[in-house]
Amino acid sequence: MSRGLDPRVTSLGPFWILPVLILAANVVDVDTYSCHEVRTAFQLRQVGPLHRVPETPGTDVDLLVCKHQGPSCCTRKMEESYQLAVKRETVHNIHSYSYELEHLLSGHSDAFHDMFQYLLSFSQGHLSSLLEGSYTSLSRQALPHVNQLFSSLSLYLRGANVSVEASVNQFFNHLFPLVYTRLINPGIEGSMMSVSQMSDCLRMIRQDVNPFGPHPAVMAQELAGAMGVGRQLGLALDEGVEVMNATENVLLSKECVKGLVKMVYCSHCRGLTLIKPCVGYCLNVMRGCLASVSELDQPWRRYTSLLEQLTHGMAGHHSLELALLGVRGHVNEALLYAQLHGPLVTATVDKVCGLSTGEPTGMQPPAPEVTTSAMTSSTPFPSAAPSQPLPEQWLGQLAHLRSSLPLKPSKNNKHSLRTLSREFLVHLHRYKSFFAVLPEMLCEGENVVDDATCWSGDGVVERYVGKVVGSGLHAQRHNPEVKVRSTDLTLVDVKERLESFNQETHDRFPKLGQVEAWEELGSGETQEGSTTDCDDEDGCQASGDGQDQTSHTVVSSEGKSIGRHPGGASPHENPAKPPFVRVFSGSPSASWPRPSSLALLLAALSLHWTSV
């Protein structure tokens, strides 16, 4: 016998079926839209405490950013964790892109300074060896002044408040008393009333007496010109590092953080943990967040252009290397000049200082012709009669002192300043538009997609239909995703400082942009009148072996062109001072190839002095 339905159930009829079906549908929807994947993503990305993620979606959640109709796996506490996480992740991503650029600037700043120090040490050692080998009578007392000179030059290249011209003048001021008492008038100290008083007087009158001819001024001009560019390059690299440090510490506004949370994490609230933002949507968010950063684009482009010009001006034609290694040659020529004009220098000193008690032994009386002081056996030159031709053995010793100086100690050493500069410029070229393209770099790769299944901030769409704005503050007025209400004052200061640095560099070196690029200079090119080969790696010979007979142009520390006449004499040389006597460089066979050349030179000198 079958059992029938309860009369009460039968009396309800079909009305009970509808609530049961609705309840079943809700259960199925909750099962298919669980928070399990959201919890997993929350934990893997280390967003915050896992207990903040609910097991099942809620329908009455009061959210501030990720608002939408329907159940949600997010809570207000989760939104707070998302804001902290998205700020941390965005700053980390900015650091990952800017780290290489910052490392490029700071690493090459150290590398350039190390190379400068290497060149300074090599030049200092070469000058010291000259004094020890050829001017032994004064080398021991002169070496401390050599050390002081190169120490000052090193400080100058590192940005210290040091004057190259003052350092060079101080060096020659201290050198003059030693040259006067040991080369021009050896043994005169024994006949002086006060050696210290005599030395003080000689130092004070050195620039007025001009015992070294034009060589100190030419040396100072060459060093100031080449080293001024090198110093400015070091300062520019340090300035770039400061700009990058300020950029990495950029503050993200509240509107930016909300836009980032909406772009990155609001899809998680719906259980869509694998969907990625649309490319256009991401660009709008990032350009809004980095609007103040993008304002650095134009001054940064000018800054990188100045870096290129400074590098070309410093390493092109081996300018800095030749200037530093040419110190030896200038000092040598200055010492030779002082010896050749010893009688005239002595007569002037006696009139000004008046400290001598008698004429030193072997001193020749002043005469209107080229004479030399009688040298002791310890001096590098024998004595010569005023009206007699210079002995061939003396000329050979002169040429030996002016032996050619290679640009680098070894041809096998390919790590030169020029090589380092080329490497730097190759890497720098990639970062000229860094601040303009930074939003694009953050919106590329696996972070975004550009197909029919991308996240638009409100849902999954086939394509992003919003207007994609450009970079910079002005373009953000039409940004549909992030409202830019103010500028970052820190970045405003950085921009002004960078613009000011660019302008100061341009004002100090107005002719910097006229320096030829290496691609135009070519490889292995020699200067006009040069007979030695010069390639990119091995360079040319230093100016220490004597300048070419062709005219040159020297750029001062202020970027002004200073004409140099053949023979290195200044165009404004005082005609009342002793005339410059040119002695050419090279080995004896190379510098004095024919007896006829000697005869012509000596005849010209004799005629000149006779006519005075």
Side-chain angles (χ1 to χ4, degrees), residues 425-587:
L425 292 179
V426 168
H427 289 86
L428 179 67
H429 184 74
R430 299 183 300 174
Y431 294 98
K432 285 187 173 182
S433 57
F434 174 79
F435 292 104
V437 301
L438 182 58
E440 282 82 348
M441 291 189 291
L442 296 171
C443 291
E444 65 180 7
E446 299 179 355
N447 298 324
V448 297
V449 292
D450 193 16
D451 53 27
T453 56
C454 60
W455 175 254
S456 67
D458 296 321
V460 179
V461 296
E462 294 184 359
R463 64 185 182 88
Y464 180 70
V465 296
K467 177 183 178 181
V468 180
V469 299
S471 298
L473 290 172
H474 181 74
Q476 304 314 307
R477 295 182 302 173
H478 307 290
N479 194 327
E481 308 299 341
V482 177
K483 300 300 180 183
V484 180
R485 305 184 185 277
S486 61
T487 59
D488 191 322
L489 296 181
T490 301
L491 293 180
V492 171
D493 292 339
V494 171
K495 179 182 178 181
E496 293 178 353
R497 190 177 67 186
L498 186 58
E499 289 176 337
S500 176
F501 180 84
N502 292 339
Q503 188 60 44
E504 290 175 0
T505 303
H506 178 75
D507 293 342
R508 185 177 182 187
F509 303 94
K511 297 182 181 296
L512 195 60
Q514 301 176 10
V515 178
E516 295 177 282
W518 288 329
E519 291 76 12
E520 299 173 0
L521 293 176
S523 176
E525 188 175 355
T526 58
Q527 297 182 359
E528 181 183 357
S530 175
T531 58
T532 57
D533 293 332
C534 170
D535 58 27
D536 288 343
E537 303 300 334
D538 296 319
C540 304
Q541 292 181 345
S543 59
D545 56 353
Q547 287 78 17
D548 297 334
Q549 298 183 52
T550 56
S551 60
H552 299 267
T553 299
V554 180
V555 181
S556 69
S557 60
E558 303 300 325
K560 300 177 181 179
S561 296
I562 303 171
R564 272 183 57 190
H565 291 249
S570 172
H572 305 293
E573 182 182 352
N574 189 344
K577 303 245 180 112
F580 173 64
V581 179
R582 187 66 184 167
V583 182
F584 294 93
S585 64
S587 62

Side-chain angles (χ1 to χ4, degrees), residues 299-442:
W300 180 261
R301 289 177 186 269
R302 190 183 181 195
Y303 164 77
T304 55
S305 177
L306 286 175
L307 279 182
E308 290 183 343
Q309 295 171 11
L310 288 169
T311 305
H312 284 304
M314 173 196 64
H317 292 305
H318 306 282
S319 301
L320 181 59
E321 291 171 310
L322 290 177
L324 288 175
L325 298 179
V327 170
R328 170 197 178 274
H330 288 304
V331 173
N332 187 36
E333 291 176 345
L335 295 178
L336 294 176
Y337 186 98
Q339 293 178 93
L340 288 173
H341 300 88
L344 188 57
V345 171
T346 301
T348 305
V349 169
D350 283 342
K351 291 179 181 179
V352 177
C353 295
L355 300 176
S356 62
T357 58
E359 188 177 280
T361 303
M363 184 66 200
Q364 298 291 339
E369 57 227 281
V370 178
T371 62
T372 59
S373 59
M375 305 293 180
T376 64
S377 58
S378 61
T379 57
F381 309 118
S383 60
S387 59
Q388 298 298 323
L390 299 178
E392 293 185 3
Q393 64 271 22
W394 187 8
L395 297 177
Q397 288 177 314
L398 287 174
H400 173 71
L401 290 177
R402 300 166 181 273
S403 59
S404 61
L405 173 65
L407 182 61
K408 295 189 294 297
S410 172
K411 288 177 67 67
N412 295 326
N413 181 13
K414 296 299 181 181
H415 187 62
S416 66
L417 182 60
R418 191 179 180 91
T419 303
L420 179 63
S421 300
R422 282 184 180 275
E423 174 190 288
F424 170 66
L425 292 179
V426 168
H427 289 86
L428 179 67
H429 184 74
R430 299 183 300 174
Y431 294 98
K432 285 187 173 182
S433 57
F434 174 79
F435 292 104
V437 301
L438 182 58
E440 282 82 348
M441 291 189 291
L442 296 171

Side-chain angles (χ1 to χ4, degrees), residues 44-57:
L44 291 177
R45 302 183 71 161
Q46 300 180 350
V47 176
L50 190 60
H51 64 81
R52 292 186 176 182
V53 184
E55 294 288 344
T56 58

Side-chain angles (χ1 to χ4, degrees), residues 8 39 65 141 156 185 206 214 220 231 247 257 260 288 293 297 301 305 328 330 442 483 512:
R8 290 171 296 178
R39 291 174 61 86
V65 181
Q141 291 80 8
Y156 175 79
N185 299 302
R206 197 274 305 174
R231 168 192 167 97
T247 304
V257 173
L260 290 171
V293 176
D297 177 54
R301 289 177 186 269
S305 177
R328 170 197 178 274
H330 288 304
L442 296 171
K483 300 300 180 183
L512 195 60

